Amino acid sequence: MLPLESFSVYILICVLAPLVGAFTLSFIMIFEKQLDNLHKEAIQLKLEKELQIANYHQLNQQIQPHFFFNTLNSLMSLARLNRKDELLKGLEVMAKFFKFKYINHDNLIIIDNDISYVNNYLEIQLLRFGQRLQITQHVEDDCRLALTPPFLIQTIVENAFKHGFEKNAGPANLRINIYTDGLNIYIEVWNTHHINPFDQNQEYVPQDEGYGMLNIQKRLDLLFPDQEASITMEYIHTETLVKVNMPLTY
């Protein structure tokens, strides 16, 4: 039989042990939650930094002399030909295009908004390239409200012009295809490149696609750390395919 003093200590331990355990568990849970919040904040900061870089890249990429002056020359040609309606439309599209760059963007925007921005860019390019440029777009209805990093499609389309159409004569065919399998969304941008048909030994040498593609992959990694999301590029005969796959989110 335990002495009264030892029995009292035993009772005290029995009472305090669950309290100490509960306190320790609560402390661990709070600590883990704080770590989780810090991790999320770190990811958010990285996303904001990459988005700032993407904004800078797009601004720097687009307002470069050859693009700006070629566009102005196209508009001046319309003015000389007294094609006022087309001139006004061109000026309106150009204003919308540049205005979009100065709007604060979220880390994700809906596909329809990104496509609208791309279409403004393409309308400007149609003024420059005329009938040489042929554009085909297909966006599944289930994808229109899906989320995408801003400037993703735009960056890929710009590369098609910078590394393809502007460096090579001949037809400039651009295809944008966006579809889903219910779990993932796929964005494909196809563009023609040209090889001299009289040189049987010539191979198409891919150009350095610059920081834009790397920026896209970094943002995909940050946005979907535990899911598959990637950007790839293939050269198929006389076409270049850039393909993005990422989780379907709304």
Side-chain angles (χ1 to χ4, degrees), residues 10 22 43 88-89 102 116 138 196 212 246 248:
Y10 174 76
I43 290 177
L88 289 173
K89 178 64 176 176
Y102 296 98
S116 295
H138 174 71
N196 185 348
M246 57 187 174
L248 179 65

Side-chain angles (χ1 to χ4, degrees), residues 75-93:
L75 294 174
M76 284 190 292
S77 296
L78 292 175
R80 292 191 188 100
L81 295 171
N82 202 29
R83 292 160 63 176
K84 294 180 180 178
D85 289 342
E86 293 175 58
L87 175 61
L88 289 173
K89 178 64 176 176
L91 290 170
E92 180 184 357
V93 170

Side-chain angles (χ1 to χ4, degrees), residues 92-107:
E92 180 184 357
V93 170
M94 192 173 178
K96 287 180 180 178
F97 174 73
F98 286 119
K99 181 180 178 181
F100 187 87
K101 293 181 176 298
Y102 296 98
I103 300 174
N104 290 325
H105 298 288
D106 295 324
N107 291 320

Side-chain angles (χ1 to χ4, degrees), residues 2-170:
L2 289 174
L4 181 60
E5 186 176 325
S6 299
F7 181 73
S8 299
V9 171
Y10 174 76
I11 294 297
L12 184 62
I13 291 173
C14 290
V15 172
L16 290 179
L19 294 176
V20 172
F23 175 79
T24 303
L25 183 61
S26 298
F27 177 79
I28 292 172
M29 291 176 65
I30 292 172
F31 183 70
E32 288 180 344
K33 186 175 181 180
Q34 288 179 338
L35 283 179
D36 185 55
N37 289 337
L38 287 172
H39 180 64
K40 289 179 179 178
E41 288 177 7
I43 290 177
Q44 183 66 22
L45 287 172
K46 286 183 180 178
L47 280 169
E48 290 174 0
K49 179 182 177 182
E50 293 300 329
L51 182 55
Q52 287 175 355
I53 293 172
N55 275 296
Y56 173 79
H57 170 76
Q58 290 300 318
L59 189 61
N60 185 59
Q61 173 85 348
Q62 290 302 333
I63 310 179
Q64 43 186 310
H66 81 276
F67 173 81
F68 187 66
F69 288 120
N70 285 339
T71 302
L72 286 180
N73 284 333
S74 300
L75 294 174
M76 284 190 292
S77 296
L78 292 175
R80 292 191 188 100
L81 295 171
N82 202 29
R83 292 160 63 176
K84 294 180 180 178
D85 289 342
E86 293 175 58
L87 175 61
L88 289 173
K89 178 64 176 176
L91 290 170
E92 180 184 357
V93 170
M94 192 173 178
K96 287 180 180 178
F97 174 73
F98 286 119
K99 181 180 178 181
F100 187 87
K101 293 181 176 298
Y102 296 98
I103 300 174
N104 290 325
H105 298 288
D106 295 324
N107 291 320
L108 291 167
I109 62 174
I110 63 172
I111 290 284
D112 258 357
N113 286 350
D114 216 26
I115 286 291
S116 295
Y117 175 56
V118 171
N119 286 339
N120 287 333
Y121 172 79
L122 290 176
E123 285 198 49
I124 294 173
Q125 295 292 18
L126 280 167
L127 290 175
R128 296 177 54 199
F129 285 82
Q131 294 183 351
R132 180 189 161 201
L133 178 60
Q134 300 295 321
I135 302 168
T136 304
Q137 286 188 25
H138 174 71
V139 183
E140 288 187 355
D141 289 340
D142 290 343
C143 298
R144 292 191 174 277
L145 296 181
L147 297 175
T148 179
F151 299 129
L152 184 148
I153 304 171
Q154 175 68 23
T155 298
I156 302 170
V157 170
E158 281 178 15
N159 281 337
F161 283 90
K162 181 179 178 182
H163 299 293
F165 304 151
E166 292 181 357
K167 291 186 176 181
N168 301 284

Side-chain angles (χ1 to χ4, degrees), residues 223-238:
L223 287 164
F224 308 105
D226 301 319
Q227 298 168 284
E228 183 179 353
S230 64
I231 180 168
T232 58
M233 185 162 47
E234 296 180 64
Y235 300 92
I236 306 171
H237 303 299
T238 59

Side-chain angles (χ1 to χ4, degrees), residues 35 193 240:
L35 283 179
H193 57 252
T240 300

